[in-house]
Amino acid sequence: MEIISENACFGGVQGVYSHRSDSCDCDMTFGLFLPAEAKDGPVPVLWYLSGLTCTHENAMVKAAAQGWAAEQGIALIFPDTSPRGDGVANDDAYDLGQGAGFYVNASENPWAPHFQMYDYVTKDLTELVFSKFPLDASRQAITGHSMGGHGALTIAMKEVGRFASVSAFSPICNPTDSDWGKKQFTAYLGSDEAKWVDHDASLLMADRGFDGPVLIDTGTKDQFLDLLRPETLAQAAAAKRQEITFRMQPGYDHSYFFVSTFMEDHITFHAEALYA
């Protein structure tokens, strides 16, 4: 692991690091905020998965998360959204290829050699951060925005028992029936739609649910509402009788202005679960 930068931040340290990922077969970069309490021992962890076109840096500098995390004594992990590099497959479109990993393990070429983002987040990066930093593996939560909200919800429901809570800002809720999903799942996973089901938050909610609290925020003025399909997740959660807080926030769009406005709510929500 290489230290790219470390800066004092709200009494703790905001670091950026690079490492070799076996899953993605390339170098990957991530951000990690450690609160002051980490000097005295392992602290709880909140994972933040970012959306389309983002890197590790977007939420790290725009989401206004570190101050609230510092108040709660919680670490923040900001993974990248895809593998990158000259030898990594890409596409001219913003919603496929580098910057658009969708947190799945690709089985189709040219994506399969590097686009193993599910394993990267749940295995490679997990093993690294818990071996190198004072983090408490028994107290983890996960959140994300847009494509990252999709990733947070699907990972939380599949990694049973790992996360105390899950939340999402404007998540892609039903990618198997959306243009933000059909295109990418066909490219990454192939044309057999049965393979897509395991990566659809609404379908997973209907089938499995989540053993803990869920918080969802989406703006009523979100310019991508028809692609996000939040109503499908709300309906699945109601049918499953899932413990969930589902909010449509009046006037807010898809931007980081929206994310930063409600970041305090989300970190407080996760703190309650992590310290329960």
Side-chain angles (χ1 to χ4, degrees):
M1 188 184 74
E2 178 185 349
I3 299 172
I4 296 176
S5 63
E6 289 183 330
N7 298 93
C9 182
F10 290 99
V13 176
Q14 175 62 64
V16 177
Y17 309 92
S18 68
H19 70 110
R20 184 73 180 178
S21 165
D22 290 336
S23 294
C24 295
D25 193 25
C26 65
D27 292 338
M28 298 289 288
T29 302
F30 68 96
L32 171 67
F33 169 72
L34 286 174
E37 288 83 350
K39 298 173 186 175
D40 301 318
V43 294
V45 179
L46 176 60
W47 293 78
Y48 183 101
L49 305 186
S50 291
L52 287 168
T53 75
C54 292
T55 69
H56 69 281
E57 188 176 35
N58 296 71
M60 192 178 78
V61 301
K62 293 181 179 180
Q66 291 91 337
W68 304 119
E71 284 194 9
Q72 302 289 352
I74 293 173
L76 300 169
I77 300 174
F78 303 100
D80 202 347
T81 56
S82 78
R84 298 179 191 272
D86 293 338
V88 176
N90 201 8
D91 191 272
D92 290 338
Y94 75 95
D95 57 355
L96 185 67
Q98 295 185 33
F102 267 76
Y103 305 100
V104 302
N105 288 338
S107 59
E108 306 300 303
N109 288 324
W111 313 106
H114 300 286
F115 280 72
Q116 304 295 312
M117 286 301 294
Y118 187 93
D119 281 355
Y120 173 69
V121 171
T122 62
K123 296 178 181 178
D124 281 18
L125 185 55
T126 292
E127 292 171 3
L128 178 72
V129 294
F130 285 108
S131 68
K132 297 291 187 181
F133 300 98
L135 305 174
D136 186 349
S138 69
R139 292 187 291 170
Q140 297 184 63
I142 191 166
T143 188
H145 173 227
S146 193
M147 179 185 72
H150 138 79
L153 289 164
T154 56
I155 287 172
M157 284 187 275
K158 289 193 290 185
E159 297 293 309
V160 178
R162 174 171 170 177
F163 299 100
S165 50
V166 60
S167 73
F169 303 86
S170 305
I172 301 172
C173 296
N174 188 207
T176 62
D177 198 25
S178 165
D179 288 344
W180 271 357
K182 289 182 178 180
K183 171 184 176 180
Q184 294 82 4
F185 287 2
T186 300
Y188 295 145
L189 304 174
S191 58
D192 182 359
E193 295 186 15
K195 296 179 180 179
W196 303 0
V197 172
D198 212 28
H199 300 284
D200 187 301
S202 295
L203 298 180
L204 286 171
M205 179 63 73
D207 181 47
R208 306 183 187 191
F210 177 70
D211 187 20
V214 180
L215 171 62
I216 307 295
D217 275 315
T218 302
T220 62
K221 295 291 183 66
D222 193 306
Q223 56 270 48
F224 303 113
L225 268 179
D226 290 343
L227 296 169
L228 302 177
R229 295 177 55 79
E231 68 280 0
T232 62
L233 183 64
Q235 291 161 3
K240 194 68 175 178
R241 299 183 180 179
Q242 171 71 45
E243 179 185 357
I244 189 170
T245 300
F246 182 92
R247 308 189 299 193
M248 296 298 298
Q249 298 291 1
Y252 285 90
D253 60 16
H254 199 73
S255 69
Y256 271 99
F257 297 112
F258 159 69
V259 173
S260 61
T261 297
F262 297 100
M263 183 56 70
E264 179 185 9
D265 287 359
H266 283 244
I267 289 180
T268 300
F269 163 80
H270 289 296
E272 291 174 356
L274 290 167
Y275 287 109

